[in-house]
Amino acid sequence: MDIGFDANYSTWNLVGFFLLLSLSLGLSAETLEIDLPRQRLTAEQLAVVVNDQDPLSQRIGNYYVEARGIPAANLLHVSFKPGKKNLPPQQFQQIRQKLLKITPQNIQAYAITWIAPFRVGCMSVTSALTFGYDKAWCSDHTCASTRRSPYYDYRGVTPYNDLSIRPSISIAANSFAEAKALIERGIAADGTLPEGTAYLMSTQDKQRNVRAKDYLMTRRLMHNWIDTVVLRGNTLRDRKDVLFYFTGRTHIDGLETLTFLPGAIADHLTSTGGVLSGSKQMSALRWLEAGATGSFGTVVEPCNHLGKFPNPRLVMEHYSHGQTLLEAYWRSVQQPGEGLFIGEPLAAPYDKVVFNKSATGTRLITRNLTAGLYRLSHSTTPIGPFRQIQRFRVKPHQQQFNLSGGEPGYYRIESL
């Protein structure tokens, strides 16, 4: 429908028109709304991939699409005999090429819905799906470094548009009940601003304790942002507030005594944590079974390269700024070719915005703004035009803002 204006319209008629427009949109004259720069992956940008020969994969995929409100067009189908731990690279590449052809252009990330295969040649299945199979992502000799990810510490929101990759994660579970519980934990986490604790465990396992050298710095940087505790020992027990748990050992005891908050992330640096079945070391899947919402492990011998494992500081930093579990985890691994990401992709416990009138203007409470310079604009209608009313600088880890304005209408914050 075209809407035209008579040149003789009075100011009152224009005001009346916009009032009617607001009412037609279900808005009141006292509306006070704000748009912030987008900082995370949305359900519309995630594709869910199911294996048509795997009944559990299909059931998980269908449930996840419904539970997360993901468009039906984002449910993508592949077909191969399930159950193999290691899919031959040539067969995988054929599957991936077919998948790419049916993937809508707006898709920025993938969630796969099977537990096996978890490996493609020398790569994890999540990295092979993200980058395509290429031995450059694997060690060319024992303990060698690999190609570095362009997504490492990435600050954008559209990796396919910017980097031509779609980071991938596995909603891994041995049963539908386990998958459903995982998904429900992720959904329950959204916008809760959890007051849990990050536990950084410095163990006696010298080979697998290499991340501990950065623990004190991480605790210092998280001061007044995330409650972070550095502990010495091999086992964490009887804690009811676990939000992050990073450690390094082949097996982790005491998981049955812990309570993981919805959205919790936990992993252990070891050689084969990403081997989800049949390994002599503890599988990353044990973390999800214990109540975590996301975990990580390598599928081949990585040696103890720090770059091949999640950087706890980066996981916590990105996650706590409102990004999804998939995004925060992927951005923390510099050399992810051999690493498997598992969990509920869209969990975003820190994505929350509170915006209302204050005594002097407007008050904004959110963790979604990273340090930098921003512009605040205002309009009386949702379609604009918007007029700049303030420039302001966000300090690192700032989450409360007293802004100009206060009159009813629509506000917009943009990065400068």
Side-chain angles (χ1 to χ4, degrees):
M1 179 179 66
D2 293 329
I3 300 176
F5 292 94
D6 191 308
N8 295 319
Y9 257 34
S10 66
T11 301
W12 174 251
N13 285 334
L14 288 174
V15 172
F17 168 78
F18 285 121
L19 178 59
L20 288 173
L21 176 62
S22 296
L23 292 174
S24 70
L25 295 173
L27 306 169
S28 74
E30 293 300 315
T31 293
L32 195 69
E33 295 190 2
I34 190 166
D35 286 328
L36 272 63
R38 190 161 62 82
Q39 89 293 350
R40 54 156 290 184
L41 178 74
T42 65
E44 291 74 21
Q45 296 172 308
L46 180 71
V48 179
V49 186
V50 301
N51 179 5
D52 285 344
Q53 295 187 45
D54 183 342
L56 179 57
S57 169
Q58 290 180 302
R59 192 176 181 190
I60 293 172
N62 288 327
Y63 179 78
Y64 190 60
V65 165
E66 180 180 358
R68 274 296 188 183
I70 295 171
N74 292 12
L75 183 64
L76 308 181
H77 298 259
V78 296
S79 182
F80 59 91
K81 186 176 180 179
K84 291 183 179 180
K85 298 178 181 179
N86 187 353
L87 199 63
Q90 184 176 2
Q91 181 184 2
F92 172 81
Q93 288 290 62
Q94 293 173 352
I95 295 169
R96 183 174 184 269
Q97 287 303 315
K98 293 179 181 178
L99 178 62
L100 293 178
K101 290 180 180 179
I102 62 173
T103 300
Q105 283 296 305
N106 67 299
I107 296 300
Q108 301 295 325
Y110 289 118
I112 62 175
T113 55
W114 56 81
I115 197 170
F118 46 76
R119 177 177 166 181
V120 178
C122 59
M123 295 182 70
S124 74
V125 68
T126 52
S127 290
L129 183 56
T130 300
F131 302 116
Y133 183 78
D134 188 331
K135 288 185 177 180
W137 294 102
C138 308
S139 303
D140 60 6
H141 60 272
T142 303
C143 293
S145 297
T146 70
R147 179 177 290 170
R148 299 186 176 191
S149 170
Y151 197 71
Y152 179 67
D153 204 16
Y154 168 69
R155 299 305 174 102
V157 293
T158 52
Y160 181 68
N161 297 354
D162 299 342
L163 308 172
S164 299
I165 63 170
R166 295 182 172 105
S168 308
I169 192 170
S170 173
I171 306 174
N174 279 310
S175 69
F176 178 72
E178 290 179 3
K180 184 173 182 289
L182 170 64
I183 293 166
E184 290 177 350
R185 289 197 298 274
I187 294 172
D190 289 352
T192 55
L193 299 180
E195 295 183 356
T197 301
Y199 293 98
L200 309 181
M201 183 67 68
S202 181
T203 72
Q204 296 174 332
D205 189 328
K206 293 182 179 180
Q207 289 185 327
R208 298 172 180 85
N209 194 43
V210 290
R211 291 189 293 189
K213 72 181 185 67
D214 294 325
Y215 283 173
L216 293 179
M217 179 189 69
T218 298
R219 184 179 65 182
R220 177 175 59 82
L221 292 174
M222 293 296 130
H223 180 65
N224 288 334
W225 188 247
I226 294 176
D227 186 17
T228 303
V229 176
V230 178
L231 297 173
R232 294 185 179 275
N234 294 328
T235 304
L236 181 69
R237 291 182 179 273
D238 302 317
R239 305 299 173 107
K240 306 299 182 182
D241 63 344
V242 183
L243 184 57
F244 299 95
Y245 182 5
F246 298 104
T247 185
R249 282 179 65 80
T250 59
H251 295 83
I252 310 301
D253 297 324
L255 295 184
E256 72 284 355
T257 74
L258 303 177
T259 299
F260 291 87
L261 299 183
I265 290 175
D267 65 57
H268 59 306
L269 190 153
T270 192
S271 295
T272 56
V275 177
L276 300 185
S277 62
S279 174
K280 294 181 179 180
Q281 298 185 359
M282 189 181 95
S283 162
L285 201 59
R286 300 290 87 78
W287 292 105
L288 303 190
E289 293 169 351
T293 306
S295 192
F296 172 93
T298 49
V299 299
V300 296
E301 175 59 66
C303 295
N304 57 359
H305 280 287
L306 283 174
K308 293 184 179 183
F309 292 90
N311 178 319
R313 178 183 64 82
L314 289 179
V315 177
M316 295 162 65
E317 187 70 35
H318 286 289
Y319 207 35
S320 63
H321 273 298
Q323 295 166 17
T324 64
L325 187 148
L326 181 155
E327 294 167 294
Y329 232 165
W330 259 94
R331 294 175 188 192
S332 75
V333 184
Q334 184 189 65
Q335 301 170 49
E338 299 161 346
L340 181 75
F341 297 87
I342 61 175
E344 200 281 283
L346 293 174
Y350 290 101
D351 181 18
K352 187 176 180 65
V353 178
V354 177
F355 184 63
N356 49 40
K357 292 182 180 180
S358 69
T360 57
T362 54
R363 185 169 180 79
L364 173 68
I365 302 174
T366 187
R367 287 173 172 245
N368 292 7
L369 297 179
T370 56
L373 185 63
Y374 293 83
R375 171 174 57 217
L376 175 68
S377 301
H378 174 264
S379 173
T380 56
T381 76
I383 58 176
F386 282 82
R387 176 180 61 86
Q388 178 178 309
I389 58 175
Q390 182 184 4
R391 287 191 179 194
F392 65 100
R393 184 171 295 278
V394 175
K395 300 176 182 178
H397 292 174
Q398 185 177 356
Q399 54 185 315
Q400 297 189 23
F401 310 87
N402 291 315
L403 303 175
S404 300
E407 62 271 26
Y410 303 84
Y411 292 81
R412 175 184 294 168
I413 290 179
E414 298 170 288
S415 178
L416 293 175

